[in-house]
Amino acid sequence: MTTRTEAQAVSPGRRPELDAIRMLVVIGLIFFHSALVFATEGDFYVTNSETTEVVTVIAGFGVVWAMPLLFLISGLGARHSLQRRGEGCFVTERLLRLGVPLLVATVLLNPLPQWLRQRASDPGYDESYLAFLPRFFDVHVELDEFPFLVQGRYFETGHLWFVVLLLTFSLMLACLHRWLPHAPARRATDRMAKAVSLRRGFVLLPALAFAALCAFAGMEEDYAGWHRWSYLLFFAAGFVLATDTRWRTAMRRDARTAACLGVLLFVSAAPGFTTVDDPFTQTTPLAVASRALFGAAGWCLVVAIPGLLDRPGRRPPQEPRTPPERASRRRVYGYLAAAVLPLYVLHQPIVVAVAYAVVRWSAPIAVEYLVLVTISLTLTLTAYELLVRRTRLTRFLFGMRA
C-alpha cells in the first residue's frame, strides 16, 4: 500500500534550476577566490599589495548562501541516489566519485598553493617545489579535528574541504538510512510537510536552528565562514526536502519573503562582523548576535534562491527556439553540468598560480582582478577540456562518469 508521503515523493527527474545553481556557484568560485587576493581581511595564499574592504563585504554576502546551497542540493541528490541504488551501491559510488578525486587532488594539486604561499610571504624563500613536497606530506592524525583527521604544519585539504565533508555526510547518511526505522521517519516528514504546506513562513523556521548553531558553536573561517557541522544541517535539510513535493511548493510560495528577510538579516549582521575583533569565535553579545543573524540569513537565502528559480510549467516569453538552437543550448548545459566537480577541484590551484604572477604588476585593482579572473577561468576550462575530459582514466580520477 502506498502512503501519502510516498505518493507525493519528489520524482527523481533532474531539476534544471538546481543544476544551474551548482554550475553558477562553482564557476563563481573563480571570481570569489580571485577577489580574495585583494581583500583587506583574511589570509589567502597570495595577497596584493593594494587591497580594498569592498571585497570583504561582497565576499561575505557570497559565503552566506553559496556553499550552503551546494550542500542542500547534494542532500537532495543523495535522497534520489539512495532510493535508486540502495545503501551499498550508494557508498561505493560516493567513494569512487568523491574519494578518488579527493586523493588525486590532495597529492597532485594541493601542495602548489601552499608552496606559493611560502614564496609570496617571504621574498628570501628559495626552496624548490620538489624539496617542499616532503614537508607538505609530513602529517599526523588528530581525532578531535574530525573529519579532517590528517593534519600537518604545511599539509591542508584546502578548497577540498567541501569534498571531505560531502563524502563524510554521505557515508553517515548511508549508515543511518540502513539502520534507522523508516516508518517513523516517513510519518515525521509527512507531518512536517503538511504543516509547511498549510502555513506560510513555516519553511523558514529552520533558520532558528542555524542561528543557534552559529551563535553558540561559532564559525570557522577555513570552511567559508560556516561551522563545519552547519553544513551537515544543510545536507540533511536537502535530503528531507526531497521526500515530499510540498516542501518544494512552499519554497516557491515563500521565496520572495525569504529573500527579503535574508538580505535584511545579513545587513543587520554586517556591523558586528566589521567591528568585532574576532566575530567568528568571540562570546561578546555583539559577536554572538551577529553570528545568529548570519546563520538565520543563510537559511532564508538558501530557501529563496531555488524557490525564485523554480518555476515549473512557465513558458518563456520569447519565441520558441529553433531545433539547432535548442540542441546547442542542451550541449552547453550538459557540458557544464558534467564539469562541476572537476572544475571545483581544479580551480583554486590555478587561481593561486595566476595570482602569484599578477600581484607583481603595478596596475589598478580593477585591472588586475579582471586579468586574474579571465586567465584563471580560461585555464580552468582548458585544463578540464584537455587534461580531464578526454580519457576514461582521467574522467574516473576526477569523479566523472565514464
Side-chain angles (χ1 to χ4, degrees), residues 22 93-102 104 337-342 345 388 392-402:
R22 290 169 64 241
E93 189 262 353
R94 293 291 87 184
L95 287 172
L96 292 177
R97 293 201 63 205
L98 296 176
V100 171
L102 174 62
V104 169
V340 166
L341 181 57
V345 171
V388 176
R392 292 176 62 91
L393 175 61
T394 52
R395 290 172 67 89
F396 169 75
L397 291 178
F398 281 84
M400 299 179 67
R401 292 187 175 91

Side-chain angles (χ1 to χ4, degrees), residues 250-334:
M251 291 174 72
R252 290 200 305 268
R253 180 193 65 201
D254 295 337
R256 288 185 175 84
T257 301
C260 294
L261 185 58
V263 172
L264 178 62
L265 290 169
F266 175 79
V267 171
S268 301
F273 281 94
T274 55
T275 58
V276 175
D277 290 337
D278 184 7
F280 286 179
T281 59
Q282 278 190 4
T283 57
T284 62
L286 180 58
V288 171
S290 298
R291 291 197 298 269
L293 292 169
F294 180 93
W299 176 254
C300 291
L301 292 172
V302 163
V303 169
I305 294 171
L308 291 171
L309 296 178
D310 181 16
R311 291 294 179 265
R314 173 182 289 183
R315 293 185 177 181
Q318 67 271 22
E319 292 296 322
R321 288 180 172 83
T322 62
E325 288 175 319
R326 290 198 298 268
S328 176
R329 184 182 180 185
R330 285 196 296 268
R331 283 196 297 270
V332 172
Y333 180 85

